[in-house]
Amino acid sequence: MNSLRYITGYPTQIQQQAQVLLDQGKLGTYLHQRYPEKHDIQGDKALFQYATNLKQQYLRKAPPLSKAYYDAKLKTVSQALGMHTRQTRIHGNKLRSHNSLRIASQFKTAPEAFLRMIVIHELAHFKETEHNKAFYQLCSHMEPDYHQLELDTRLWLLWQDTRLKRSEERRVGKECRSRWS
């Protein structure tokens, strides 16, 4: 079960079900059936507009969003799926705040529902800084299927890692065979 690093916090039964789907090669099919469409939010401007629209819809009174962008350096395992930053600066007698979102570039190819879940998660931090009950209630208010989407996003990441690992193993295997031929 150590290969299930994205879902280690979930109950054992869910981890076992994910492992079975992964072992049988059916995880990708399961995810594609549930989320068949990808999004067309590929650039930073489109991501900023997407995040701004969600913020306007659910968090009108929250501080404004200054920037939203895809970050190729954001590692989904060691860090997070996305990050928010809040900076407050004093300019004379005025307080200026700067809020930005960074989303892992990997999500350019994800289903729109997964991108939405991540953006909603990061926007919720504008109101609730900690991952507490109020935070998750806010996420669920903005996206009623939030918890299912979070699990499915983690399963998608697991599936992506498995695909990359298998393609790398095939590439290395071909190189070894060609050297010994």
Side-chain angles (χ1 to χ4, degrees), residues 169-181:
E169 287 171 353
R170 283 193 297 269
R171 186 188 63 77
V172 169
K174 284 180 183 177
E175 287 178 6
C176 289
R177 284 192 299 274
S178 66
R179 287 182 188 164
W180 296 102
S181 299

Side-chain angles (χ1 to χ4, degrees), residues 84 121-122 125 128-136 139 146:
H84 69 282
H121 180 100
E122 298 309 329
H125 280 297
E128 294 289 335
T129 55
E130 300 296 320
H131 290 125
N132 55 25
K133 187 175 181 178
F135 174 83
Y136 287 109
C139 288
Y146 175 80

Side-chain angles (χ1 to χ4, degrees), residues 48-65:
F48 176 77
Q49 188 61 49
Y50 182 76
T52 301
N53 290 344
L54 286 172
K55 186 200 162 296
Q56 283 302 108
Q57 187 175 358
Y58 296 108
L59 300 170
R60 289 186 185 158
K61 294 182 180 179
L65 178 63

Side-chain angles (χ1 to χ4, degrees), residues 94-105:
K94 294 184 180 179
L95 213 60
R96 306 232 179 202
S97 86
H98 174 84
N99 293 301
S100 63
L101 301 179
R102 289 178 12 195
I103 306 297
S105 293

